[in-house]
């Protein structure tokens, strides 16, 4: 298992949905690091529902993310959307496979041949078996550094963007030896629900969290409704420690 997701520590991943500018990503990187984040997230290649929505800064986004890494020392996590992008990910620390690509088997096999960690997000309509089989595609190629991420599934209720399926966290930990984290940002779609669901996920025994943080959520180029501010993130990390202690996880 990767040292970045050591079983003995709680791994906090934070950052904006999308990398938007040098100022934005370095500013957020500094703030989340000060609040206890261990990895910086930020999308450069964005899988968007509408082709007319912001598609990410792509190659330039990766460059800016690496700049933020150089400034803060935070390793970076970013999503790959297709095999052709692979050469651009050489210096990226953790490759994210998004929900929409969880069953892109060719992509899974390709990242399985790399010697770097892969953060695999659950497909929005994937069963637990399908999720585990997708992880298996990566493992079968010889890459054992896979991190599972529960990010909410689609249910009949559309009040929240997705339904964060917290029961799968202890279940996945029972069924596999892989680290399991939760993403309460995509899991709810609503910033005010992120702190309570982050705390709940921490209490289930998750190995970490991935949280979208933006300095100016109202003007974010993607997913502003679910972004918390760096100040809110800092308050949340304090409470997470308390919850883990109360749950006997520390
Ligand atoms: C993301 O983390 O930026 C993302 C697009 O998430 P998901 O694949 O879970 O929708
Ligand atoms: Mn997002």
């Amino acid at each position: 298992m990767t040292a970045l997701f050591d079983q003995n520590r709680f791994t906090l991943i934070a950052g904006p949905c999308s990398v938007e500018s040098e100022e934005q990503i370095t500013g957020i990187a500094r703030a989340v690091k000060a609040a206890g984040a261990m990895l910086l997230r930020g999308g450069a290649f964005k899988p968007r529902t509408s082709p007319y929505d912001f598609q990410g800064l792509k190659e330039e986004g990766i460059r800016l993310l690496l700049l933020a890494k150089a400034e803060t020392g935070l390793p970076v996590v970013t999503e790959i959307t297709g095999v052709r992008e692979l050469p651009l990910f050489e210096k990226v620390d953790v490759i994210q496979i998004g929900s929409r690509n969880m069953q892109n088997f060719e992509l899974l096999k390709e990242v399985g041949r790399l010697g770097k960690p892969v953060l695999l997000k659950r497909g929005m309509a994937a069963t637990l078996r399908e999720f585990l089989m997708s992880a298996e595609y990566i493992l079968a190629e010889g890459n054992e550094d896979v991190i599972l991420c529960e990010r909410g599934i689609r249910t009949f209720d559309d009040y929240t963007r997705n339904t964060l399926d917290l029961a799968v966290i202890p279940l996945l930990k029972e069924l596999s030896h892989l680290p399991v984290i939760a993403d309460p940002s995509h899991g709810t779609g609503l910033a005010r629900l992120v702190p309570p669901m982050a705390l709940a996920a921490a209490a289930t025994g998750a190995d970490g969290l991935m949280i979208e943080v933006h300095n100016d959520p109202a003007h974010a180029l993607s997913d502003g409704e679910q972004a918390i501010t760096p100040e809110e993130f800092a308050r949340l990390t304090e409470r997470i420690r308390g919850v883990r202690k109360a749950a006997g996880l520390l």
Side-chain angles (χ1 to χ4, degrees):
M1 187 189 306
T2 165
L4 292 173
F5 290 85
D6 184 317
Q7 211 77 306
N8 302 314
R9 67 172 194 174
F10 191 76
T11 306
L12 280 170
I13 307 172
C17 179
S18 298
V19 177
E20 299 173 5
S21 67
E22 178 177 343
E23 201 187 10
Q24 178 241 20
I25 193 68
T26 53
I28 295 173
R30 270 188 236 108
V32 297
K33 185 184 181 184
M38 292 126 182
L39 284 100
L40 174 67
R41 66 148 286 144
F45 291 89
K46 296 301 303 175
R48 305 303 302 281
T49 299
S50 165
Y52 307 113
D53 285 341
F54 177 60
Q55 301 287 306
L57 295 180
K58 306 194 168 72
E59 191 165 356
E60 172 67 359
I62 303 232
R63 191 184 71 80
L64 296 179
L65 204 53
L66 293 173
L67 212 66
K69 173 186 172 175
E71 258 200 44
T72 58
L74 285 179
V76 294
V77 190
T78 193
E79 178 171 356
I80 190 163
T81 54
V83 286
R84 275 184 314 179
E85 296 153 18
L86 261 177
L88 301 172
F89 282 66
E90 208 184 322
K91 296 195 177 114
V92 167
D93 300 277
V94 180
I95 298 193
Q96 179 172 323
I97 301 287
S99 196
R100 291 152 192 84
N101 269 314
M102 189 205 81
Q103 287 191 315
N104 181 339
F105 301 118
E106 290 314 307
L107 185 57
L108 297 176
K109 284 190 250 177
E110 210 56 57
V111 298
R113 293 182 198 117
L114 302 178
K116 62 173 80 194
V118 177
L119 194 159
L120 179 66
K121 299 190 86 173
R122 182 182 183 182
M124 61 186 82
T127 64
L128 209 56
R129 182 174 179 277
E130 288 164 340
F131 190 18
L132 285 167
M133 282 300 137
S134 289
E136 206 62 39
Y137 263 92
I138 304 167
L139 301 172
E141 294 295 327
N143 188 345
E144 293 183 0
D145 274 350
V146 180
I147 302 103
L148 301 171
C149 180
E150 161 58 32
R151 49 78 73 202
I153 49 171
R154 195 160 273 186
T155 64
F156 57 84
D157 199 346
D158 60 4
Y159 191 82
T160 49
R161 182 177 181 182
N162 290 289
T163 298
L164 190 64
D165 186 8
L166 289 182
V168 303
I169 293 173
L171 204 49
L172 283 169
K173 289 187 65 71
E174 190 182 297
L175 296 171
S176 87
H177 62 285
L178 301 171
V180 183
I181 67 167
D183 169 356
S185 307
H186 294 89
T188 63
L190 299 167
R192 68 183 186 282
L193 298 184
V194 170
M197 294 312 283
L199 296 173
T204 66
D207 297 295
L209 292 167
M210 179 184 248
I211 296 179
E212 287 189 346
V213 177
H214 198 285
N215 54 312
D216 184 7
H219 295 103
L221 296 184
S222 62
D223 286 353
E225 330 75 66
Q226 68 192 36
I228 61 171
T229 62
E231 295 72 29
E232 288 167 331
F233 178 70
R235 279 197 291 277
L236 176 59
T237 59
E238 286 301 316
R239 295 173 70 201
I240 288 169
R241 221 163 287 137
V243 161
R244 295 191 72 235
K245 194 155 178 228
L249 297 162
L250 273 185

